[in-house]
């Protein structure tokens, strides 16, 4: 897959909720990423959802690399769960990738009746023809970490809950049948986080654990409470090599990267280790006296050599060489916004002598005359590892709280050139997707997908496990 064709299209959910134009429906934007095209860096199609107030967020596929043994399945449907309304949209991108069409709408009422789940988030396809979606709450907004199954072979009908067991909080998940394991992470209580971030509720309403599931039995084997080291553990990424039992979790509020591996001392259990620590900065002119970097997205290159993450509040993206995963090396960094920029309202009082800083608050570049509002958030890497795409919207209530100018002016997507030999990141000034100039007004841009698959949606399964799943 690393030798696959270069990405020429990007699919990006565009959110009107939380902007001055929230009476409009959210939509899926198709962006031209072909540098030989006259429309390079521009939105070439917009598929509006049929309802208002959805808050589209993440997306996933009906088929990915875990299904390679089933020739009848193709990556033709993009799954769009709506975080706000609880709906799930199925979008056909197979017939004409440049002009996606709405294929099906699964109303939240049906999901509520079948499994009483809401706030759908992460989508992964399964080798057996099902689609699995993590959910973070019930229909009243109470915390409830569960998983919804859709049956693709039967028209994406709601099948059942993946497990009759639930965990206190939900968010992301990644499975690896080779080790009979799934790891799920935690955000918080939906009716709390949808109001914005309240630091007084961190202990009582937000997560700090990861859950180790038995993939075959569909039950929790172990809950790892990471305490202060793992506050709000969001994205989890397994090694792409299906024979490597190693995963990484980005703990957003603690701003640590945590490695999860089997615990040889206790067979069947897994253990965690903080491999990257980032201290908060002492500041004035901000919400709190200390500002965490706030890791909001992480990913691994397809060869599992480099780990990338975004610091949404501080404003940088970092690249680490994890050839020795217990001793990661910082080999690349680029500043793309954030709250500690030179000349901004926040003054850093202490901490600029740490790794990644040069003793002063960072200068933030403009791109094609555009001021970079907000901070780098969702990231997506090209298959060859040479281009990193970056959007800046986290979640509309949090966008409005921390970066109100972004809700006013709209989002962007940037492209960062990557040195895949020795490491290094450099902003590409030729690429800027301006979601502040959309025909209906500014919108917020979130996760990025390619028609041919990517580093965060594709799960590789060994041939033995894949064959067993499709029998």
């Amino acid at each position: 897959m690393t030798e696959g064709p270069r990405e020429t299209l990007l699919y990006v959910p565009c959110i009107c909720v939380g902007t001055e134009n929230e009476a409009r429906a959210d939509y899926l934007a198709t962006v031209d990423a072909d540098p030989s095209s006259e429309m390079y860096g521009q939105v070439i199609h917009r598929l509006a959802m049929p309802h208002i107030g959805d808050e589209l967020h993440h997306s996933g596929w009906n088929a990915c690399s875990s299904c390679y043994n089933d020739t009848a399945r193709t990556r033709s449907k993009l799954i769009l769960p709506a975080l706000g309304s609880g709906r799930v949209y199925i979008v056909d991108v197979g017939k004409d990738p440049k002009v996606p069409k709405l294929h099906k709408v699964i109303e939240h009422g049906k999901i509520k009746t079948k499994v009483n789940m809401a706030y759908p988030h992460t989508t992964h396809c399964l080798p057996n023809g099902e689609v699995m979606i993590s959910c973070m709450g019930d229909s009243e907004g109470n915390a409830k970490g569960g998983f919804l199954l859709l049956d693709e072979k039967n028209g994406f009908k709601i099948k059942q809950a993946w497990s009759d067991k639930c965990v206190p909080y939900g968010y992301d998940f990644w499975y690896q049948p080779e080790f009979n394991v799934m790891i799920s992470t935690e955000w918080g209580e939906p009716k709390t986080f949808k109001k914005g971030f309240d630091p007084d509720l961190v202990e009582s309403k937000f997560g700090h654990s990861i859950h180790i599931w038995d993939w075959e039995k569909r039950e929790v084997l172990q809950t790892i409470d990471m305490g202060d080291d793992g506050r709000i553990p969001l994205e989890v990424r397994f090694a792409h090599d299906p024979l490597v039992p190693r995963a990484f979790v980005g703990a957003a509020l603690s701003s640590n990267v945590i490695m999860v591996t089997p615990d040889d001392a206790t067979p069947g259990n897994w253990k965690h280790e903080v491999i990257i620590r980032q201290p908060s900065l002492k500041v004035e002119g901000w919400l709190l006296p200390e500002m965490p970097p706030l890791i909001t997205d992480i990913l691994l290159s397809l060869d599992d050599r480099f780990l990338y993450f975004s610091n949404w509040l501080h404003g940088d993206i970092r690249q680490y060489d994890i050839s020795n995963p217990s001793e990661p090396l910082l080999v690349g960094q680029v500043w793309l916004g954030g709250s500690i920029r030179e000349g901004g309202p926040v003054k850093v009082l202490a901490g600029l002598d740490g790794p990644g800083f040069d003793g002063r608050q960072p200068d933030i570049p403009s791109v094609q005359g555009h001021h970079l509002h907000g901070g780098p958030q969702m990231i997506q890497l090209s298959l060859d590892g040479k281009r990193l795409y970056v959007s800046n919207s986290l979640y509309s209530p949090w966008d409005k709280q921390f970066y109100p100018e972004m809700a006013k002016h709209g989002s962007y997507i940037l492209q960062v050139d990557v040195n895949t030999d020795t490491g290094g990141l450099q902003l590409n000034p030729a690429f800027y997707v301006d979601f502040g100039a959309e025909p209906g007004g500014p919108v917020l841009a979130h996760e990025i997908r390619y028609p041919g698959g990517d580093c965060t949606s594709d799960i590789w399964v060994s041939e033995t496990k894949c064959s067993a799943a499709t029998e």
Side-chain angles (χ1 to χ4, degrees), residues 186 207-208 226-235 248-258 274 276 278 292-296 298 311:
E186 302 183 329
H208 45 80
M226 301 179 292
D228 288 340
D229 280 342
R231 296 287 176 188
I232 312 186
L234 294 183
E235 312 295 345
F248 300 88
V249 176
L253 189 59
S254 301
S255 296
N256 296 328
V257 175
I258 297 165
V274 178
I276 300 172
Q278 295 186 107
L294 204 75
I295 296 177
T296 52
I298 69 171
N311 287 319

Side-chain angles (χ1 to χ4, degrees), residues 211-230:
H211 305 281
I212 312 298
W213 297 73
D214 184 303
W215 180 244
E216 294 180 357
K217 294 182 180 179
R218 305 185 181 189
E219 59 186 33
V220 178
L221 293 176
Q222 179 187 6
T223 293
I224 301 175
D225 185 339
M226 301 179 292
D228 288 340
D229 280 342

Side-chain angles (χ1 to χ4, degrees), residues 16-25 52-53 400:
C16 298
V17 177
T19 71
E20 295 178 352
N21 304 290
E22 61 183 1
R24 297 161 49 215
I52 294 172
K400 292 179 70 174

Side-chain angles (χ1 to χ4, degrees), residues 150-427:
L150 304 180
D151 185 355
E152 182 196 3
K153 296 179 180 179
N154 196 21
F156 293 99
K157 286 189 176 181
I158 301 170
K159 190 170 184 180
Q160 62 192 38
W162 175 74
S163 173
D164 59 4
K165 309 293 193 302
C166 290
V167 289
Y169 298 107
Y171 187 74
D172 196 19
F173 72 99
W174 198 289
Y175 66 88
Q176 184 43 260
E178 188 69 29
F179 305 102
N180 190 33
V181 68
M182 181 181 82
I183 298 178
S184 68
T185 62
E186 302 183 329
W187 185 359
E189 180 185 63
K191 63 184 179 183
T192 296
F193 67 63
K194 72 178 185 179
K195 298 176 183 177
F197 176 66
D198 185 343
D200 293 334
L201 299 178
V202 166
E203 186 66 40
S204 61
K205 299 297 183 180
F206 290 89
H208 45 80
S209 299
I210 56 175
H211 305 281
I212 312 298
W213 297 73
D214 184 303
W215 180 244
E216 294 180 357
K217 294 182 180 179
R218 305 185 181 189
E219 59 186 33
V220 178
L221 293 176
Q222 179 187 6
T223 293
I224 301 175
D225 185 339
M226 301 179 292
D228 288 340
D229 280 342
R231 296 287 176 188
I232 312 186
L234 294 183
E235 312 295 345
V236 55
R237 313 295 187 208
F238 249 92
H240 293 107
D241 185 339
L243 303 182
V244 174
R246 183 186 304 129
F248 300 88
V249 176
L253 189 59
S254 301
S255 296
N256 296 328
V257 175
I258 297 165
M259 182 169 67
V260 186
T261 54
D263 186 352
D264 294 335
T266 309
N269 279 9
W270 291 62
K271 62 182 180 180
H272 75 290
E273 174 189 358
V274 178
I275 60 168
I276 300 172
R277 291 185 183 272
Q278 295 186 107
S280 296
L281 298 175
K282 293 184 178 180
V283 298
E284 64 179 16
W286 194 64
L287 174 69
L288 297 169
E290 292 192 354
M291 181 191 294
L294 204 75
I295 296 177
T296 52
D297 198 11
I298 69 171
L299 62 76
L300 298 177
S301 58
L302 285 182
D303 61 4
D304 293 330
R305 179 187 171 192
F306 293 114
L307 181 147
Y308 301 82
F309 61 80
S310 55
N311 287 319
W312 191 59
L313 289 178
H314 282 186
D316 62 320
I317 292 177
R318 299 193 180 198
Q319 176 194 26
Y320 282 81
D321 187 324
I322 55 169
S323 299
N324 180 351
S326 294
E327 298 182 6
L329 298 174
L330 179 61
V331 294
Q333 182 182 27
V334 62
W335 290 92
L336 301 175
S339 297
I340 61 169
R341 66 185 74 206
E342 180 66 28
V346 176
K347 181 179 179 180
V348 179
L349 303 177
L352 292 176
D353 55 349
F357 297 97
D358 60 3
R360 58 191 297 273
Q361 293 181 228
D363 290 315
I364 305 302
S366 59
V367 181
Q368 298 180 18
H370 295 280
H371 178 77
L372 298 185
H373 298 287
Q377 209 285 100
M378 296 305 296
I379 54 178
Q380 190 57 262
L381 191 65
S382 60
L383 300 182
D384 62 7
K386 296 181 179 180
R387 292 167 301 284
L388 190 71
Y389 294 91
V390 185
S391 64
N392 61 345
S393 170
L394 174 59
Y395 174 50
S396 66
W398 293 38
D399 292 348
K400 292 179 70 174
Q401 179 180 5
F402 292 102
Y403 293 117
E405 72 280 6
M406 181 169 61
K408 179 179 180 181
H409 296 288
S411 284
Y412 53 71
I413 292 180
L414 306 173
Q415 186 189 97
V416 175
D417 294 328
V418 180
N419 184 325
T420 58
D421 294 325
T422 59
L425 302 175
Q426 184 174 357
L427 179 63

Side-chain angles (χ1 to χ4, degrees), residues 8-10 29-33 37-46 97-100 438:
T8 57
L9 296 175
L10 313 178
T30 304
V31 175
D32 191 326
S37 170
E38 294 181 355
M39 299 296 289
Y40 178 59
Q42 298 182 50
V43 177
I44 60 173
H45 184 264
R46 299 166 184 86
K98 291 185 177 181
V99 185
E438 283 293 272

